Amino acid sequence: EIVLTQSPGTLSLSPGERATLSCRAGQSLGDKYLAWYQQKPGQAPRLLIYGASTRATGIPERFSGSGSGTDFTLTISRLDPEDFAVYYCQQYGRSPVTFGLGTKVEIK
Amino acid sequence: EVQLVESGGGLVQPGGSLRLSCGVSGFSFDDHAMHWVRQVPGQGLEWVSGISWNSARTGYADSVRGRFTISRDNAKNSLDLQMNSLRPEDTAFYYCARDTSGSYSWSLLDYWGEGTVVTVSS
């Protein structure tokens, strides 16, 4: 199975700052089937980005994804108070689907 | 509005069984594969099982294969997960999730339920 390593484990930032989250795959995702999810406490995950860089329906433009091969990035251009949450990357299209362990974005 | 609502969670002894259900509304259920994903509180997400739109294909994580069975009833817009021989390490929130595709092996999950908690303990 494809292992996804997310870094950092925790990101401490202030509202308005830029957040950069990393996801590294154990083997190349040449097809860019990489997704990002946001999860707030007590809530289900929400799909943010798929295909490495396509925003899901209703996702604000401050969220962007990039990357290819084994290295992918989720960027939140200016943190809104509602953006403090845990973010997971996921590879899909290859069985079994796998998730990273998550990056927590917390208020500094 | 797309809605997925899980039910059936609870406390069960090791070795016991539990059947989870997920009722859906707001979309054409038989156009989509469906999945179960679990999460130990405070930890990450683990894919458990998936089923294609027509039940022709199913898949399981190694950790549950042979103990869990996924099924669906397109006429009733429902998804089930039969869990047998439960272990303490199966304790988690269990989410049902919709695949954007009809094939479970695609596994891009665009809608999730709120989850139901399963606790395996004596």
Side-chain angles (χ1 to χ4, degrees), chain B residues 37-82:
Chain B
V37 177
R38 68 185 180 184
Q39 183 175 37
V40 174
Q43 296 189 23
L45 300 165
E46 179 189 17
W47 176 80
V48 173
S49 181
I51 186 168
S52 64
W53 69 275
N54 61 355
S55 304
R57 295 188 65 202
T58 59
Y60 299 92
D62 288 345
S63 57
V64 306
R65 186 175 291 113
R67 300 188 298 123
F68 290 11
T69 302
I70 191 171
S71 61
R72 64 189 292 163
D73 185 335
N74 286 350
K76 296 182 178 179
N77 283 2
S78 67
L79 172 74
D80 287 343
L81 185 68
Q82 176 67 42

Side-chain angles (χ1 to χ4, degrees), chain A residues 35-92:
Chain A
W36 291 92
Y37 297 83
Q38 176 194 65
Q39 187 178 33
K40 298 178 182 179
Q43 296 185 18
R46 176 174 71 144
L47 178 65
L48 296 177
I49 300 284
Y50 63 93
S53 61
T54 302
R55 278 187 301 277
T57 303
I59 301 304
E61 291 185 0
R62 64 180 181 274
F63 291 93
S64 64
S66 63
S68 63
T70 59
D71 292 312
F72 298 87
T73 300
L74 174 69
T75 301
I76 310 171
S77 59
R78 288 173 54 86
L79 280 165
D80 188 273
E82 66 182 13
D83 299 336
F84 291 92
V86 180
Y87 293 83
Y88 296 95
C89 60
Q90 176 219 6
Q91 65 82 20
Y92 58 96

Side-chain angles (χ1 to χ4, degrees), chain A residues 33 35 37 39 42-45 47 50 88 90 92-97 99-101, chain B residues 35 37 39 43-47 95 100 104-110 112-115:
Chain A
Y33 293 152
Y37 297 83
Q39 187 178 33
Q43 296 185 18
L47 178 65
Y50 63 93
Y88 296 95
Q90 176 219 6
Y92 58 96
R94 302 186 188 194
S95 188
V97 61
F99 294 88
L101 293 181
Chain B
H35 300 263
V37 177
Q39 183 175 37
Q43 296 189 23
L45 300 165
E46 179 189 17
W47 176 80
Y95 296 100
T100 60
Y104 90 88
S105 58
W106 183 239
S107 303
L108 176 59
L109 309 175
D110 61 349
W112 299 58
E114 291 301 311

Side-chain angles (χ1 to χ4, degrees), chain B residues 22-37:
Chain B
C22 175
V24 311
S25 60
F27 66 97
S28 297
F29 185 58
D30 55 8
D31 280 345
H32 296 269
M34 297 294 295
H35 300 263
W36 290 97
V37 177

